[in-house]
């Protein structure tokens, strides 16, 4: 028998071959067809790019950290490569690892998405050096627009209106504070390489300037590896209006109209719309032309967004340019009938823009609502955890669900807490807003806190409906947007009880099928008793209150109580969800029903409600560990800075520690006055949610005073 010898090239040989393959695809102009693209990102934007790539017949390559091993974007990709542990600096922000995967996989191009490496000059240049197409603008445009002080000078020279401020090289605390005093408070402190609300703080007086400056620097270092700051006059109650621009390699540049992104929390957008409400065609044209002028000033190629501050008189001033695809780009797509990711891929391959300015027509109105894992009632504190139940409105031509998670997935503490973007379109603003609210009612999540109810409250506010939006909208209308919790009605309590009883019956029937005597009446949960009526007492938890309920199984039995309801119903399953088709005192309804552990969740077009069956004390775990006499971690995160030590005396509200979680900085403050007895965590260590951070003792004088 003849011997067969197989010879395998080394890994290094394979990588060299992959690189040569990449370069052979390119034409002499440095661009060419793209047949395989690596998405250097995660979550919903990675999935968004992959959908368009698939539509165009382009293979997609994903990268993932340990935390994203089973994520949706990994499942969607044609190939996926592991690039490190959960922290972004060791995975998604590692240029070396991403480029290594691009070369190993034979990717012709890299799409950076938004965030992470999307606005990194160094990464764009490194891709070019490796012969890999960077789907974005030239590195020179990223550099010039990424440094806010430089961009202001360029825009001023190009005739784009700007707001004055300090953009100098002297970054000493003294110089920045002196400049702030000269500009006049309030001032905005901004990271020159910032974006996405990171590295931004408002200082309203000289006394808080240095504290806000240090906080902005810390966050900027974590997000951008750069803590250079600029200081500008903060315009009170402005509108945040931005223009979508697009350029190609042939000197063409267009605008796809404006978006209004004024409604924000923590300097981050929460709801966006296009076009901007109450903006005249003349102002719209001037905005677009100014944005194109800004793009051409830096020879811009690809998708970009020029952001403006607009005052009450519709005067607008350049704020910054984001040299990437924005989170809120879908609303621009909806009103222009375009696919901006497809435009990105075509322009990166050297093609001309699919449409020129006169070909781009504005049709209708679009809203985008960002659905976050966060607690609006606790200063929008980000959350993390499993999506135990997730159901959404049905996507269609005028409704888009942009997401990177599925039911059962985990919202990670390591990344942004956005769950999804709900995007809708209507013939006009009123129709689009009506559809937005209708779809928000159908977006149901169980397992962690979300901002869905807040979005409903916001989108239903009369001033929002009228289009009277500014960046101060939430604080100005706080009382209306955060109403007191409404106790579930008697009808809702009846629905919850019926749901629990029907679930119990289902479990009983499953048990009886395995029983040796499946027909025994004593194994049933129907309430049947020989010759007597059966009454069953139940206690339910409604927020902080407990409600006693008596279930009378015999409908002919009379029973004296404060309120009496006649209830019938069954559970129906449709599209993987359970619905409670029921009648309460003759009024029929069909709410969605989710029962997890001891809690009933009801969702309907009128709203949502939670009703729980209290857990006996002997089964309940210790809640709020360390909450007595301690400050606790509001979520899982990394201790960035420890400001106290054992023996220190603190007052209520004094800063104790700074945590980094969900890419945001959170200052933990003293819940009461006293003396620090112990500090449980050091800088750089990881603290789990609800872990006690310090042990705090009240001072003896205070204890004696309180006992008198």
């Amino acid at each position: 028998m003849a011997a067969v010898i197989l010879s395998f090239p080394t890994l290094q040989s394979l990588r060299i071959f992959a690189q040569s393959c990449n370069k052979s695809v390119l034409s002499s102009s440095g661009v060419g067809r793209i047949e395989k693209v690596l998405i250097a990102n995660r979550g919903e934007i990675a999935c968004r790019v992959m959908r368009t790539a698939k539509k165009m017949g382009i293979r997609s390559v994903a990268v993932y950290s340990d935390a994203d091993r089973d994520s949706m974007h990994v499942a969607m990709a044609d190939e996926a490569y592991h690039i490190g542990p959960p922290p972004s600096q060791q995975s998604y922000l590692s240029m070396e690892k991403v480029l290594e995967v691009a070369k190993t996989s034979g990717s012709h191009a890299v799409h950076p998405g938004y965030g992470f490496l999307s606005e990194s000059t160094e990464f764009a240049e490194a891709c070019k050096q490796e012969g890999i197409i960077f789907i974005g603008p030239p590195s020179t445009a990223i550099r010039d627009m990424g440094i806010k002080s430089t961009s202001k000078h360029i825009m001023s020279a190009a005739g784009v209106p700007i707001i004055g401020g300090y953009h100098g090289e002297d970054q000493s605390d003294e110089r920045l504070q002196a400049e702030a005093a000269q500009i006049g408070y309030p001032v905005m402190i901004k990271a020159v390489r910032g974006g996405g609300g990171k590295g931004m703080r408002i200082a309203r007086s000289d006394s808080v300037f240095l504290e806000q400056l240090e906080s902005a620097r810390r966050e900027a270092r974590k997000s951008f590896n750069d803590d250079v700051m600029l200081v500008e006059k903060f315009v009170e109650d402005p509108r945040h209006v931005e223009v979508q621009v697009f350029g190609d390699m042939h000197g063409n540049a267009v605008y796809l109209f404006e978006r209004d992104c004024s409604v924000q929390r923590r300097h981050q957008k929460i709801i966006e719309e296009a076009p901007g409400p109450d903006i005249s065609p003349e102002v719209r044209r001037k905005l677009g032309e100014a944005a194109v002028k800004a793009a051409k000033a830096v020879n811009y190629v690809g998708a970009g967004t020029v952001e403006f501050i607009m005052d009450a008189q519709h005067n607008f001033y350049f704020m910054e340019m984001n040299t990437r695809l924005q989170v809120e780009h879908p609303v621009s797509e909806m009103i222009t009938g375009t696919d901006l990711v497809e435009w990105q891929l075509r322009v990166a391959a050297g093609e001309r823009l699919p449409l020129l300015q006169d070909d781009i027509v504005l049709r209708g109105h679009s809203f985008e609502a960002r659905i976050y894992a966060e607690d609006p009632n606790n200063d929008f504190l980000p959350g993390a955890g499993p999506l135990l139940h997730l159901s959404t409105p049905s996507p269609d031509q005028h409704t888009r669900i942009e997401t990177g998670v599925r039911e059962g997935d985990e919202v990670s503490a390591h990344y942004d807490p956005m769950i999804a973007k709900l995007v809708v379109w209507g013939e006009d603003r009123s129709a689009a807003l009506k559809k937005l609210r209708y779809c928000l009612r159908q977006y149901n999540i169980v397992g962690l806190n979300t901002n869905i109810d807040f979005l409903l409250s916001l989108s239903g506010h009369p001033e929002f409906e009228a289009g009277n939006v500014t960046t101060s909208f939430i604080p100005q209308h706080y009382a209306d947007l955060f109403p007191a919790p409404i106790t579930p009605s008697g009808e809702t309590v009846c629905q919850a009880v019926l749901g629990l009883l029907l679930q119990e019956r289902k479990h009983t029937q499953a048990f009886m099928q395995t029983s040796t005597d499946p027909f025994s009446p004593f194994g049933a949960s129907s309430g049947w008793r020989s010759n007597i009526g059966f009454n069953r007492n139940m206690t339910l938890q409604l927020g902080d209150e407990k409600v006693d309920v008596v279930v009378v199984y015999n409908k002919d039995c009379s029973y004296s109580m404060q309120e009496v309801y006649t209830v019938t119903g069954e559970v129906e399953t449709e599209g993987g969800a359970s619905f409670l088709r029921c009648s309460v005192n003759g009024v029929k309804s069909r709410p969605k029903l989710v029962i997890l552990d001891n809690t009933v969740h009801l969702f309907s077009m009128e709203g949502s409600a939670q009703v729980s069956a209290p857990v006996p004390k002997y089964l309940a775990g210790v809640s709020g560990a360390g909450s007595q006499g301690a400050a606790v971690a509001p979520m899982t995160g990394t201790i960035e800075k420890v400001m106290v030590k054992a023996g220190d005396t603190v007052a209520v509200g004094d800063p104790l520690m700074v945590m980094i979680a969900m890419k945001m900085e959170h200052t933990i403050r003293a819940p009461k006055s006293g003396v620090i007895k112990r500090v449980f965590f050091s800088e750089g260590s990881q603290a789990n949610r609800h872990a006690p951070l310090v042990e705090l003792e009240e001072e003896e004088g205070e204890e004696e005073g309180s006992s008198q």
Side-chain angles (χ1 to χ4, degrees):
M1 181 181 292
V4 178
I5 301 175
L6 298 178
S7 176
F8 293 95
T10 64
L11 181 59
Q12 185 172 359
S13 300
L14 285 172
R15 288 173 181 163
I16 292 171
F17 174 72
Q19 291 178 56
S20 65
C21 284
N22 291 352
K23 294 175 182 176
S24 68
V25 172
L26 307 180
S27 67
S28 58
S29 64
V31 295
R33 68 182 185 275
I34 298 172
E35 296 180 350
K36 180 185 276 193
V37 60
L38 182 147
I39 297 94
N41 217 297
R42 63 177 301 280
E44 66 88 11
I45 185 59
C47 296
R48 163 73 186 90
V49 174
M50 288 175 193
R51 279 195 296 273
T52 291
K54 183 177 182 179
K55 179 182 74 173
M56 297 175 67
I58 297 173
R59 289 168 290 165
S60 60
V61 178
V63 291
Y64 63 91
S65 70
D66 290 338
D68 286 335
R69 189 175 299 275
D70 299 316
S71 67
M72 184 173 168
H73 81 275
V74 173
M76 282 185 66
D78 295 303
E79 302 172 30
Y81 294 77
H82 176 252
I83 55 169
S88 300
Q89 289 84 354
Q90 301 172 50
S91 52
Y92 297 106
L93 281 171
S94 173
M95 289 189 292
E96 296 78 12
K97 290 180 179 178
V98 172
L99 283 172
E100 187 70 16
V101 171
K103 291 184 287 186
T104 302
S105 64
S107 297
H108 306 132
V110 173
H111 193 302
Y114 53 73
F116 295 135
L117 297 171
S118 62
E119 294 180 281
S120 168
T121 304
E122 296 80 7
F123 184 63
E125 290 176 346
C127 287
K128 184 177 181 181
Q129 290 170 6
E130 295 290 347
I132 298 170
I133 298 173
F134 175 77
I135 300 178
S139 59
T140 53
I142 298 175
R143 181 190 66 235
D144 291 343
M145 292 293 98
I147 302 174
K148 289 182 171 54
S149 53
T150 303
S151 68
K152 300 276 184 178
H153 294 307
I154 295 173
M155 293 302 103
S156 180
V160 179
I162 66 169
I163 291 178
Y166 177 71
H167 314 127
E169 294 182 4
D170 186 349
Q171 289 287 302
S172 65
D173 291 359
E174 295 77 16
R175 179 62 184 273
L176 293 175
Q177 191 168 23
E179 291 290 342
Q182 185 171 343
I183 294 168
Y185 290 96
V187 297
M188 174 70 81
I189 305 167
K190 266 192 219 177
V192 297
R193 293 184 181 272
K198 307 294 193 303
M200 292 173 58
R201 296 292 185 275
I202 298 170
R204 296 192 173 275
S205 67
D206 191 68
S207 61
V208 300
F209 180 84
L210 291 179
E211 179 186 347
Q212 298 289 52
L213 174 63
E214 184 183 358
S215 179
R217 280 174 169 162
R218 280 195 304 267
E219 196 167 88
R221 281 194 296 269
K222 281 288 180 184
S223 298
F224 316 111
N225 290 323
D226 190 312
D227 63 0
V228 178
M229 295 285 147
L230 61 82
V231 182
E232 292 179 336
K233 179 66 178 175
F234 178 66
V235 180
E236 295 279 6
D237 299 331
R239 286 175 66 175
H240 180 129
V241 179
E242 61 187 34
V243 179
Q244 177 71 59
V245 294
F246 226 104
D248 64 20
M249 300 177 190
H250 306 279
N252 300 305
V254 298
Y255 64 87
L256 291 93
F257 308 110
E258 82 283 352
R259 302 184 285 254
D260 192 298
C261 310
S262 299
V263 180
Q264 305 178 9
R265 87 282 184 267
R266 294 199 307 265
H267 306 300
Q268 287 186 308
K269 303 158 190 173
I270 188 171
I271 193 165
E272 302 99 345
E273 59 182 302
D278 195 34
I279 291 180
S280 68
E282 178 66 14
V283 173
R284 176 165 297 126
R285 180 184 60 79
K286 289 180 178 179
L287 274 167
E289 290 175 351
V292 168
K293 192 182 295 184
K296 287 188 172 181
V298 291
N299 299 314
Y300 200 83
V301 174
T305 298
V306 183
E307 300 191 347
F308 297 97
I309 287 290
M310 179 179 282
D311 64 21
Q313 289 72 45
H314 288 187
N315 299 307
F316 56 87
Y317 308 93
F318 175 82
M319 183 166 59
E320 64 184 9
M321 184 175 189
N322 290 312
T323 54
R324 54 174 167 80
L325 198 65
Q326 291 279 85
V327 176
E328 59 273 18
H329 75 273
V331 292
S332 296
E333 295 178 320
M334 297 292 264
I335 64 167
T336 57
T338 56
D339 181 338
L340 295 182
V341 173
E342 181 176 346
W343 280 35
Q344 283 187 300
L345 291 164
R346 293 190 181 282
V347 165
E351 296 183 26
R352 293 178 179 273
L353 289 176
L355 298 173
L356 295 180
Q357 194 62 62
D358 291 342
D359 304 319
I360 302 172
V361 180
L362 191 162
R363 294 187 180 90
H365 203 97
S366 181
F367 281 97
E368 174 183 282
R370 302 191 192 188
I371 297 174
Y372 282 101
E374 64 183 13
D375 185 358
N377 294 309
N378 190 13
D379 196 26
F380 296 96
L381 187 71
L387 292 161
L388 301 178
H389 172 81
L390 172 63
S391 55
T392 73
S394 300
D396 56 34
Q397 184 181 357
H398 299 147
T399 307
R400 286 168 59 173
I401 311 293
E402 300 287 349
T403 188
V405 293
R406 305 147 298 190
E407 183 173 282
D409 284 352
E410 190 98 7
V411 177
S412 172
H414 297 284
Y415 311 112
D416 189 89
M418 189 166 70
I419 296 171
K421 301 180 310 194
L422 172 62
V423 187
V424 301
W425 181 91
E427 291 287 348
D428 54 31
R429 189 174 189 271
S430 177
L433 187 55
K434 185 177 181 180
K435 187 168 183 63
L436 176 69
R437 291 177 52 76
Y438 182 83
C439 290
L440 282 170
R441 294 286 192 200
Q442 295 177 297
Y443 219 113
N444 309 141
I445 295 173
V446 176
L448 34 67
N449 289 322
T450 75
N451 65 337
I452 292 175
D453 285 342
F454 174 76
L455 289 169
L456 279 164
S457 179
L458 191 157
S459 59
H461 194 281
E463 289 298 306
F464 187 87
E465 290 180 344
N468 299 326
V469 291
T470 71
T471 56
S472 302
F473 189 90
I474 293 175
Q476 282 178 350
H477 302 288
Y478 191 91
D480 297 332
L481 298 175
F482 295 89
I486 300 175
T487 302
S489 65
E491 289 76 9
T492 300
V493 173
C494 289
Q495 291 173 348
V497 171
L498 178 62
L500 287 169
L501 294 176
L502 291 174
Q503 183 193 54
E504 183 182 272
R505 185 178 72 177
K506 179 181 177 182
H507 291 165
T508 301
Q509 289 173 343
F511 169 78
M512 291 179 68
Q513 288 176 0
T514 63
S515 170
T516 56
D517 186 7
F519 302 106
S520 170
F522 301 104
S525 60
S526 62
W528 177 86
R529 290 294 184 272
S530 177
N531 298 323
I532 62 171
F534 175 62
N535 303 326
R536 178 174 176 180
N537 297 318
M538 299 179 71
T539 300
L540 299 178
Q541 189 82 38
L542 307 181
D544 295 329
E545 298 180 5
K546 291 185 178 180
V547 175
D548 292 322
V549 178
V550 177
V551 179
V552 182
Y553 283 84
N554 185 350
K555 66 179 180 179
D556 297 323
C557 174
S558 62
Y559 200 88
S560 177
M561 288 196 72
Q562 291 180 335
E563 295 181 78
V564 178
Y565 298 86
T566 301
V567 184
T568 59
E570 290 291 336
V571 174
E572 299 176 343
T573 302
E574 180 182 308
S578 296
F579 294 86
L580 184 65
R581 182 178 292 280
C582 61
S583 171
V584 179
N585 284 350
V587 178
K588 297 184 178 182
S589 59
R590 191 173 178 263
K592 187 179 294 179
L593 174 70
V594 180
I595 303 178
L596 289 171
D597 297 328
N598 63 319
T599 303
V600 180
H601 302 264
L602 296 163
F603 300 97
S604 71
M605 298 310 292
E606 284 70 48
S608 61
Q610 285 183 220
V611 179
S612 299
V615 178
K617 289 183 178 180
Y618 66 88
L619 291 177
V622 178
S623 62
S627 61
Q628 300 298 318
V632 299
M635 68 186 74
T636 299
T638 302
I639 304 300
E640 175 71 11
K641 186 174 183 180
V642 178
M643 302 173 176
V644 293
K645 62 182 183 302
D648 286 354
T649 300
V650 296
V652 175
D654 282 354
L656 305 176
M657 294 184 183
V658 175
M659 287 186 71
I660 298 290
M662 296 289 193
K663 298 167 63 178
M664 297 291 291
E665 181 178 286
H666 308 274
T667 300
I668 312 301
R669 300 183 181 274
K672 62 181 180 180
S673 300
V675 177
I676 302 295
K677 186 176 179 182
R678 283 192 296 172
V679 178
F680 295 112
F681 291 89
S682 58
E683 293 180 1
S685 57
Q686 187 93 350
N688 291 325
R689 183 171 182 260
H690 290 167
L693 302 176
V694 301
E695 185 176 348
L696 184 61
E697 284 187 329
E698 291 187 66
E699 294 183 278
E700 291 184 7
E702 291 185 9
E703 290 181 352
E704 291 172 2
S706 63
S707 63
Q708 293 176 352

